[in-house]
Amino acid sequence: MTLTVLNPATEEPIIELEQAGVEEADAAVARADKALPEWRRVAPADRARLLRRLGTLVEEHAEELAQIESRNVGKPISGARGEVGMVAQVFHFYAGAVDKHYGETIPVAGGVAATFREPLGVVGLIVPWNFPLNIASWKIGPALACGNTIVLKPAELTPLSALRLGELALDAGIPEGVLNVVVGKGSIVGQRLIEHPDVAKIGFTGSTEVGQRVMAGAAATIKRVTLELGGKSANVIFADADLEKAAAAAPYSVFDNAGQDCCARSRILVQKSAYSRFLDHLIEATKGVKVGDPSDEATEMGPLISAQHRETVATFVDEAQIVFRGDAPDDVGFWFPCTLVEATNADRVAREEVFGPVAAVIPFEDEADAIAIANDTPYGLSGSIWTRDGARALRVARALETGVLSVNSNSSVRVSTPFGGFKQSGFGRELGMHALAGYSEIKSVYISTDD
Ligand code: NAD
């Protein structure tokens, strides 16, 4: 079976690829399993050197990778360059982490106990289409650092950057079989990885719906799972905030990547006493978002990923609630304009993940009301708090049921800091030293010192 990979900005095919099935998935797991004993024995400094070389090769091929990502996902080229820059940083970070991830000695009666951090084995990594290379690197970096081998399944719509990364890993000197990229359907190749008895863990990023299937499927073989799932994050703006600054930043926290971002602050909660002033600023700022050709350096928002996804996004917009709708190209491409709606937290647009450029603006009364509304969601991935009151910022940050927050900023994803969700946004942490825990097992060895 072949797969046609499209450019979502032009609807033109980029390439036809063969799709793997169960047999190819099994062959990839077998290659990873065969490569495991040698890879886990590689001395830490040598493993670090190989990861560092991969980071350097990503830097050297940064423009090529950014162009691939921009064409395949419809991302503005400037954003794609930033993402590839992060991929290189991720490999450099985990190169530095390899020899700093060690065990302890624990004094106990009759001897000593030592802990070792062992690799899990073959790990299956299943990633989505919105940040294909970035999210793959967040998993590959710690997985390789800990001595695991990998079968990576990119999303069907966006496999190209992962395939190129697989080639670069070989060029970096990472042995054959350590990083295997298999292009195929989630329901076939992904499902096979979940069921495969020789796969020790699934590192999954994607929708909460598929995450539920991953978790249920993994139970049969007690596989470890890390789940990075959907979000419906709140951008909470108090009346004492720098309203102009908060409003200028807000559009980019929802409309970046055309809203196809698990961290999108797609519920904008605004204190009633500042509501109309803030909304005026927000509309002005949203008018400024440059939508168009992803290859143009000035473009800030490209198209959605597919025609089908555009149809889904459209179902969230109630014409009667629209307070602003921007412009977007109306010829070829899966375009959708930046859209602001006034909503209550009970409306579907505020409850479900839209994954498109649609933001719900919701008023709140006071601090307690803001916390209650922000937490009234099954999700808990990210969020922002805008206020000039430092104590309030910390109080609210502690009260929000969410994994990743920012204060007077919408930026909360960094290579060195943990990333992951509360509630139905998943569990386990990626990035930072925290990710290493998800790709290693602690072994405790007792050594008797008796005569
Ligand atoms: P998706 O869940 O449809 O697919 C994700 C991956 O799972 C793809 O590779 C897909 O092929 C695979 N898959 C699909 N069905 C499968 C099955 N039955 N068994 C195994 N694998 C299967 O998600 P998507 O549409 O590609 O991505 C969008 C979703 O990802 C959004 O919900 C978004 O919030 C989420 N996301 C989360 C994070 C995070 O870190 N929390 C980051 C990015 C995206």
Side-chain angles (χ1 to χ4, degrees):
M1 245 195 333
T2 60
L3 168 76
T4 307
V5 181
L6 289 184
N7 178 336
T10 62
E11 302 182 35
E12 281 165 8
I14 302 174
I15 194 171
E16 294 268 326
L17 290 176
E18 277 301 314
Q19 285 205 83
V22 168
E23 220 172 279
E24 289 83 2
D26 284 355
V29 173
R31 283 196 301 277
D33 200 35
K34 187 157 173 259
L36 184 63
E38 190 195 329
W39 179 243
R40 62 180 296 174
R41 272 201 308 271
V42 171
D46 291 334
R47 200 182 301 144
R49 191 171 40 77
L50 292 169
L51 271 170
R52 208 169 295 122
R53 213 185 272 161
L54 178 56
T56 302
L57 276 182
V58 169
E59 280 162 354
E60 287 170 6
H61 291 79
E63 187 57 25
E64 177 199 349
L65 290 166
Q67 293 289 348
I68 292 174
E69 207 77 319
S70 174
R71 284 182 75 204
N72 193 178
V73 191
K75 282 178 191 292
I77 186 65
S78 55
R81 287 186 184 124
E83 287 171 32
V84 172
M86 186 189 195
V87 171
Q89 278 181 40
V90 167
F91 292 131
H92 287 304
F93 180 89
Y94 288 106
V98 174
D99 55 7
K100 296 164 195 71
H101 186 234
Y102 37 68
E104 308 145 293
T105 53
I106 305 169
V108 290
V112 73
T115 62
F116 296 86
R117 298 193 185 256
E118 306 287 10
L120 301 174
V122 177
V123 297
L125 307 181
I126 303 177
V127 297
W129 47 258
N130 59 340
F131 295 100
L133 199 57
N134 241 278
I135 289 174
S137 75
W138 299 1
K139 301 177 193 313
I140 293 169
L144 292 184
C146 292
N148 302 280
T149 57
I150 294 170
V151 179
L152 168 68
K153 195 208 84 62
E156 296 89 315
L157 296 168
T158 58
L160 301 184
S161 54
L163 287 169
R164 187 68 186 110
L165 186 70
E167 294 168 355
L168 292 178
L170 290 174
D171 294 348
I174 293 173
E176 291 270 350
V178 171
L179 172 59
N180 305 274
V181 182
V182 183
V183 176
K185 279 192 189 310
S187 55
I188 298 173
V189 173
Q191 187 63 33
R192 180 60 187 151
L193 293 177
I194 294 166
E195 289 165 1
H196 202 298
D198 294 340
V199 174
K201 179 207 169 109
I202 298 290
F204 175 81
T205 298
S207 59
T208 295
E209 192 190 345
V210 177
Q212 285 166 342
R213 265 184 246 152
V214 173
M215 199 167 166
T221 46
I222 316 290
K223 274 188 186 50
R224 282 78 184 120
V225 288
T226 299
L227 299 177
E228 299 290 353
L229 309 176
K232 193 72 213 176
S233 299
N235 186 2
V236 183
I237 290 126
F238 287 97
D240 70 351
D242 180 337
L243 293 183
E244 283 187 38
K245 191 173 171 198
Y252 299 94
S253 76
V254 202
F255 305 136
D256 255 2
N257 214 39
Q260 303 165 122
D261 182 346
C262 53
C263 288
R265 274 78 165 160
S266 54
R267 290 184 299 149
I268 305 178
L269 275 47
V270 188
Q271 193 157 18
K272 276 184 186 156
S273 51
Y275 187 85
S276 62
R277 270 182 298 147
F278 180 83
L279 193 59
D280 289 345
H281 290 311
L282 178 65
I283 290 172
E284 270 318 296
T286 307
K287 280 182 191 159
V289 177
K290 296 185 188 70
V291 184
D293 179 2
S295 68
D296 184 332
E297 309 272 336
T299 295
E300 292 174 321
M301 190 177 102
L304 293 171
I305 191 69
S306 67
Q308 191 194 351
H309 187 51
R310 179 170 59 185
E311 270 175 40
T312 308
V313 170
T315 66
F316 284 92
V317 179
D318 174 347
E319 295 288 321
Q321 291 182 325
I322 294 176
V323 284
F324 175 75
R325 178 151 52 192
D327 296 321
D330 58 4
D331 45 5
V332 289
F334 310 124
W335 301 94
F336 201 93
C338 295
T339 307
L340 296 171
V341 299
E342 283 185 294
T344 74
N345 204 50
D347 294 327
R348 179 169 169 249
V349 70
R351 301 220 65 81
E352 295 178 25
E353 189 179 42
V354 178
F355 228 53
V358 181
V361 191
I362 302 169
F364 69 84
E365 207 66 59
D366 54 17
E367 188 177 312
D369 195 28
I371 292 167
I373 297 172
N375 285 341
D376 178 18
T377 169
Y379 295 110
L381 189 55
S382 105
S384 302
I385 301 157
W386 293 80
T387 174
R388 286 193 171 97
D389 178 338
R392 164 181 279 163
L394 266 182
R395 259 194 326 268
V396 177
R398 295 298 306 274
L400 293 186
E401 296 158 354
T402 184
V404 192
L405 274 166
S406 45
V407 174
N408 295 330
S409 160
N410 297 317
S411 148
S412 51
V413 180
R414 290 190 171 66
V415 173
S416 57
T417 57
F419 175 77
F422 279 28
K423 304 199 284 190
Q424 291 186 32
S425 289
F427 57 83
R429 290 294 177 268
E430 303 206 293
L431 297 172
M433 294 300 278
H434 296 75
L436 299 169
Y439 289 94
S440 55
E441 200 87 83
I442 295 182
K443 180 186 284 171
S444 174
V445 179
Y446 170 70
I447 304 149
S448 168
T449 51
D450 283 351
D451 285 340

